[in-house]
Amino acid sequence: MNLQLDFPAVLERWPNFLGGAALTLELAAFATVLGALFGTLAAVGRGSHNALIAGACKVYVETIRNTPLLVQIFLVYFGLASLGLKLSAFTVAVAALTINVGAYTAEIMRAGFEAIPRGQIEAAEGLALSRLQIYWHIILLPAIEKVYPALTSQFVLLMLASSVCSQISAEELTAVANYIQSDTYRAFETYIIVAVLYIILSLVMRAGFWGLGLVLFPRRRRLGTPL
Amino acid sequence: MGGHLNINHLMFLGQGALWTIGLSVIALIGGGIVGFGIALARISPLKSVRIASAVYVQLIQGTPLLVILFLGYFGLAAIGLKVSSLTAAGASLTLYVAAYLGEIWRGCIQSVPKPQWEAAEGLALSRTQRMMKVILPQAIRIATPPTVGFMVQIIKNTSLASVVGFVELMRSGQIVNNSLFEPFAIYAIIAVTYFAMCYPLSLFSQKLERRMGRGRSNLAPA
């Protein structure tokens, strides 16, 4: 047992690390926004009266939630390629992550919708609000407010899961690390630094979502915690 | 290019699937044992133990499993241990699963109603007796559905062990693909296989949850 760590040799590549971290955040940001929209649509679809739409949404959610992200990424990667679409690794990564997180978001949003008391919707109908107004003010916004902590955890997990995109050489943090470790032969040090960077990124994301929660839901000041 | 998908390829994939199950069982047992310790440490009367276990959980939950796998793989090598990819993957997954199961189980232990703790204390049971005879039997009931649900995550996550060279289902698929180069078909077969392993567990977890919900509402005061 003689452990010799040489951090300076690896740390001098800090611009590469920071670039990878920035790309990881960018990837997570795109997938979060698109996945939130996609997942909300799937959650609405699951509640549809049309059995075909409801069934399709259920199949989508269950398929994604019961297969590994790594397999999904490869399927999207080769699937798009076999359709003749030549896309960058970054675009493929965003697409795969969006499809993945959409399924989890759909389940969380469904729980949010189910938590809206029937009486509130009836009350809104009694006040002659339009269907669209009811959906926006009485169902969607309160549902998001209710599940906001679960949603934010899911998006932090998504950011961590984006490390898997290194396998299709999207140049995010883990891919950068793979490159640096094969270049410096300092694998252990490299991945320690990368782990620290991911922990910082997840703290930054949590703090960001917490701040966003304060702005979006001023009624609930105690929503979530920065950690 | 080695021709078409034949029975040998399927046998190889089947072997990979068995290793996926094997690695999942190792991760579940290892992670379960360590995770149980984490759950107890998180509610320990000693503040230092509580803080240490909380830091562990935060560190693991803030790091991607892929990076933990690389750390395990290269870390064990860095301290001079020559280990197989099975050992490295098993150890990394154990650490990872322990953090998540520890948090799930801590929640379950703490969700045993407060009067149960107080009543056990009132009966002059020792801390160990309270845990073993009153709290844990109830906590295990509460913990079963989320634990079964988490097993799905474990099975899916073992796919990442392919990256450190462990030949489970995903890796065996990549190997077959290297000789046939029909990625879409092969990854589709792999996806279906994972689904076949995970979906029954998902359904079982949901069923347990519903049953629990009914049981609880029966117990609730009118």
Side-chain angles (χ1 to χ4, degrees):
Chain A
M1 288 253 277
N2 55 335
L3 182 59
Q4 288 174 330
L5 294 179
D6 183 9
F7 281 106
V10 179
L11 271 176
E12 66 184 31
R13 310 292 290 268
W14 62 268
N16 302 55
F17 279 115
L18 284 189
L23 207 65
T24 285
L25 264 190
E26 202 179 322
L27 203 56
F30 272 110
T32 296
V33 173
L34 294 174
L37 291 173
F38 200 57
T40 307
L41 277 180
V44 172
R46 264 196 93 164
S48 165
H49 295 300
N50 185 326
L52 199 69
I53 294 175
C57 290
K58 186 172 184 225
V59 168
Y60 157 65
V61 168
E62 293 297 345
T63 310
I64 296 298
R65 279 168 28 108
N66 288 291
T67 49
L69 174 61
L70 186 57
V71 179
Q72 291 160 14
I73 288 175
F74 276 109
L75 272 177
V76 172
Y77 189 61
F78 291 113
L80 290 176
S82 69
L83 290 176
L85 281 172
K86 278 239 173 233
L87 298 172
S88 72
F90 185 82
T91 316
V92 174
V94 168
L97 288 175
T98 299
I99 292 171
N100 181 268
V101 80
Y104 293 91
T105 306
E107 279 299 276
I108 296 173
M109 287 305 296
R110 195 165 68 104
F113 291 150
E114 279 170 9
I116 303 293
R118 205 58 240 136
Q120 287 194 6
I121 299 167
E122 284 160 9
E125 278 164 357
L127 289 168
L129 292 184
S130 72
R131 265 182 74 102
L132 204 66
Q133 280 176 319
I134 292 176
Y135 223 99
W136 185 252
H137 292 289
I138 313 298
I139 299 176
L140 192 59
L141 294 184
I144 293 176
E145 191 174 335
K146 274 202 173 71
V147 298
Y148 189 71
L151 275 181
T152 57
S153 306
Q154 193 58 57
F155 292 130
V156 173
L157 283 178
L158 163 79
M159 186 274 291
L160 297 176
S162 72
S163 63
V164 178
C165 298
S166 60
Q167 296 307 304
I168 53 168
S169 344
E171 287 294 311
E172 44 67 68
L173 186 48
T174 306
V176 168
N178 292 345
Y179 173 69
I180 291 176
Q181 68 96 1
S182 65
D183 209 29
T184 60
Y185 300 106
R186 290 274 162 204
F188 197 40
E189 292 90 333
T190 305
Y191 289 112
I192 289 175
I193 293 167
V194 165
V196 171
L197 284 173
Y198 271 111
I199 289 166
I200 293 171
L201 283 181
S202 59
L203 290 178
V204 166
M205 264 184 92
R206 276 186 201 284
F209 277 123
W210 179 74
L212 189 67
L214 290 186
V215 176
L216 291 179
F217 314 114
R219 284 182 292 141
R220 280 175 68 178
R221 286 285 175 195
R222 292 188 300 119
L223 198 82
T225 54
L227 274 179
Chain B
M1 311 277 162
H4 293 289
L5 195 66
N6 61 37
I7 187 75
N8 289 327
H9 295 126
L10 291 179
M11 293 272 280
F12 188 63
L13 290 178
Q15 215 169 31
L18 285 182
W19 273 115
T20 285
I21 295 171
L23 188 58
S24 304
V25 170
I26 292 171
L28 180 66
I29 293 174
I33 293 169
V34 182
F36 183 63
I38 295 290
L40 292 183
R42 290 280 277 127
I43 55 169
S44 159
L46 292 172
K47 197 172 182 189
S48 55
V49 174
R50 283 204 307 272
I51 292 176
S53 53
V55 167
Y56 171 79
V57 169
Q58 286 294 333
L59 289 182
I60 297 285
Q61 292 195 343
T63 315
L65 175 58
L66 192 57
V67 174
I68 299 175
L69 278 162
F70 280 131
L71 279 174
Y73 189 63
F74 293 112
L76 289 172
I79 58 172
L81 289 176
K82 278 247 173 228
V83 296
S84 64
S85 51
L86 173 63
T87 317
S92 310
L93 279 164
T94 293
L95 292 181
Y96 175 81
V97 169
Y100 284 86
L101 274 187
E103 278 301 272
I104 293 172
W105 289 347
R106 173 184 66 93
C108 295
I109 293 174
Q110 284 180 331
S111 70
V112 172
K114 198 101 184 115
Q116 296 282 334
W117 297 74
E118 290 161 359
E121 231 176 309
L123 288 168
L125 297 179
S126 72
R127 196 183 153 78
T128 321
Q129 283 174 322
R130 288 201 300 263
M131 260 305 166
M132 299 304 290
K133 300 200 157 147
V134 181
I135 306 302
L136 284 184
Q138 303 185 67
I140 287 171
R141 262 180 62 91
I142 304 171
T144 308
T147 306
V148 174
F150 189 70
M151 280 159 67
V152 174
Q153 307 292 329
I154 298 178
I155 294 177
K156 289 191 298 177
N157 283 334
T158 57
S159 65
L160 295 183
S162 62
V163 174
V164 293
F166 181 68
V167 187
E168 37 65 74
L169 181 53
M170 184 67 193
R171 186 86 194 99
S172 61
Q174 286 169 338
I175 292 169
V176 170
N177 183 43
N178 285 343
S179 76
L180 297 181
F181 211 73
E182 284 178 43
F184 198 66
I186 290 167
Y187 289 121
I189 292 173
I190 291 172
V192 170
T193 315
Y194 274 111
F195 187 83
M197 290 193 263
C198 294
Y199 192 55
L201 281 176
S202 293
L203 286 181
F204 185 50
S205 160
Q206 282 167 24
K207 199 176 134 189
L208 284 173
E209 232 160 77
R210 271 198 301 274
R211 195 186 294 164
M212 289 278 299
R214 206 161 52 230
R216 258 204 301 262
S217 62
N218 283 346
L219 287 174

